[in-house]
Amino acid sequence: MNKKEIWRYKSLEQLENKKWEPNTAENSGLAQKCLALTKVPLVKLSANELSMLIGQSYNPHYLVPLALEILNNDILITAGLYPGDLLKSVLDVPSSFWEEHPDLHNKLQDLMRERMEEVESELDLPDYWR
């Protein structure tokens, strides 16, 4: 294993050296699921779990590269709700993230260019992604 890839085998909790508040009955079901997922090694997260965490604004620095790998294999993967929902979560990541990570932004743009016809057949994209 490449030392640069070790982060994949750690949880968000380990990578961020942060413990989120424990689950309580007051947390929504979604919040409880996300909090539990912060303890799971990233390589074990499913497309559904990545989509959920990205959609709830958990650290895209670690989550987006994994999501892009999945999308490269199946851009319209159904991550629990509808075809393309993981892609939609990634596309909704704030522009500030993409500005800080031009390499990932380029990967996403290349992927979108290559598969635009397929994507547009399933998703209603904002004009800036067309």
Side-chain angles (χ1 to χ4, degrees):
M1 171 180 26
N2 183 338
K3 284 188 178 184
K4 290 181 181 180
E5 301 297 312
I6 289 175
W7 62 271
R8 296 168 176 272
Y9 297 90
K10 295 183 179 185
S11 67
L12 283 175
E13 199 171 79
Q14 291 170 315
L15 290 164
E16 294 184 13
N17 197 24
K18 173 182 179 179
K19 288 201 180 250
W20 279 270
E21 294 297 318
N23 273 325
T24 65
E26 294 156 5
N27 288 344
S28 70
L30 178 59
Q32 289 180 16
K33 288 177 188 174
C34 288
L35 288 171
L37 291 173
T38 64
K39 298 174 184 341
V40 175
L42 298 181
V43 296
K44 293 189 176 187
L45 295 175
S46 67
N48 181 344
E49 293 163 340
L50 283 170
S51 183
M52 188 182 322
L53 289 167
I54 292 168
Q56 294 301 304
S57 301
Y58 281 80
N59 194 329
H61 176 76
Y62 299 111
L63 302 173
V64 167
L66 298 174
L68 288 175
E69 288 175 11
I70 292 170
L71 293 171
N72 193 48
N73 291 325
D74 184 358
I75 196 161
L76 293 175
I77 189 168
T78 302
L81 298 174
Y82 54 86
D85 54 353
L86 176 59
L87 175 61
K88 180 77 170 83
S89 293
V90 170
L91 293 176
D92 287 343
V93 170
S95 60
S96 58
F97 171 80
W98 299 114
E99 290 166 7
E100 292 172 25
H101 299 85
D103 56 325
L104 295 175
H105 190 238
N106 290 337
K107 283 183 185 180
L108 178 58
Q109 287 180 315
D110 290 346
L111 185 59
M112 291 296 290
R113 267 192 294 275
E114 291 169 14
R115 312 282 291 279
M116 185 56 79
E117 190 174 312
E118 182 181 356
V119 170
E120 285 185 325
S121 72
E122 290 291 330
L123 296 179
D124 186 22
L125 294 173
D127 286 339
Y128 58 86
W129 280 110
R130 292 174 196 257

